Amino acid sequence: MMAGMNTETCDAVELAVLREIVASRPDAAPPAGWEAVRCFEAEHGIVLPEPYRTFVAEVCDGLLVGPPYYGLLPLADIPDDWDTDGSERRLAEPFPLTTAWDAEGDGEALTEEETEALWEALHGHGSVLLGTDGCAMNWHLIVTGPQRGHVWLTDENGAVPFGTPPGSLMPGAPGFTGWVTHWAQGRPWFADTPGTDPEEAAELH
């Protein structure tokens, strides 16, 4: 986890930033409430990272216009193009990565069985789904493991963390607030891309 990232206590400044972004968007869904959040956590044996936890409980539980491209999903939802109903996901199991993974290049060091197990863990372990940019490009908020609180993108090519240092594929401020703010400012997800169109980004990843 990046130094200075607080996932256990909701920072009032971060929450204020998120409230301001949501306040200007009429499509924002009402908050889920604390009872729904705690029931979700009890069902999955986890505690959601802050400030996402308080954001869902008190501010907003979904946005039709994003982020990402097809909207911020309500808590416990999965993208429409997800292969299953999501019941096999195990949020209490740690997310398997701490650095970006290129399925083609890095995958050469793994056996077929190891690669298959990693794919299953990437999609099923330790994260809630924030939404999709289409073409199986799915955004995850990590809830269990060393990357707790970070946002990751998975697609057919592998997995990449958002909020990495300058010069990397997706530089920006790490965490849920950094990710939402990045989107609200109209900035591209990927470094050196001309726009936020997901098809352009997919060609680079």
Side-chain angles (χ1 to χ4, degrees):
M1 187 179 299
M2 193 169 289
M5 188 180 226
N6 181 7
T7 62
E8 308 311 312
T9 304
C10 184
D11 183 276
V13 174
E14 286 194 54
L15 191 62
V17 169
L18 292 168
R19 284 188 187 277
E20 184 177 357
I21 292 171
V22 170
S24 64
R25 305 189 181 275
D27 64 302
W34 281 108
E35 182 178 357
V37 167
R38 292 183 179 117
C39 285
F40 177 85
E41 291 175 332
E43 178 184 353
H44 293 283
I46 62 163
V47 175
L48 294 168
E50 295 287 5
Y52 176 78
R53 186 174 191 253
T54 299
F55 174 80
V56 170
E58 297 185 0
V59 181
C60 171
D61 190 23
L63 278 167
L64 290 178
V65 298
Y69 187 78
Y70 289 101
L72 182 66
L73 288 172
L75 181 65
D77 275 14
I78 57 175
D80 290 338
D81 62 354
W82 201 255
D83 290 339
T84 69
D85 63 2
S87 60
E88 80 290 353
R89 304 191 76 240
R90 293 181 284 174
L91 277 57
E93 294 288 333
F95 185 74
L97 296 177
T98 56
T99 58
W101 180 61
D102 177 357
E104 183 174 350
D106 301 337
E108 293 179 359
L110 302 176
T111 65
E112 183 176 344
E113 291 77 13
E114 289 171 335
T115 300
E116 183 176 346
L118 180 54
W119 276 121
E120 290 180 1
L122 280 175
H123 292 93
H125 292 181
S127 72
V128 293
L129 290 159
L130 297 174
T132 181
D133 277 331
C135 301
M137 297 174 67
N138 296 309
W139 292 93
H140 304 246
L141 175 67
I142 310 308
V143 299
T144 311
Q147 286 291 294
R148 175 176 163 82
H150 286 268
V151 175
W152 280 66
L153 176 68
T154 62
D155 67 8
E156 63 182 5
N157 298 308
V160 182
F162 173 80
T164 45
S168 56
L169 192 60
M170 285 200 292
F176 181 71
T177 304
W179 181 71
V180 174
T181 302
H182 196 93
W183 165 79
Q185 293 172 344
R187 299 165 64 189
W189 295 125
F190 293 83
D192 301 323
T193 57
T196 55
D197 184 272
E199 292 185 1
E200 292 178 355
E203 289 176 0
L204 292 176
H205 180 203

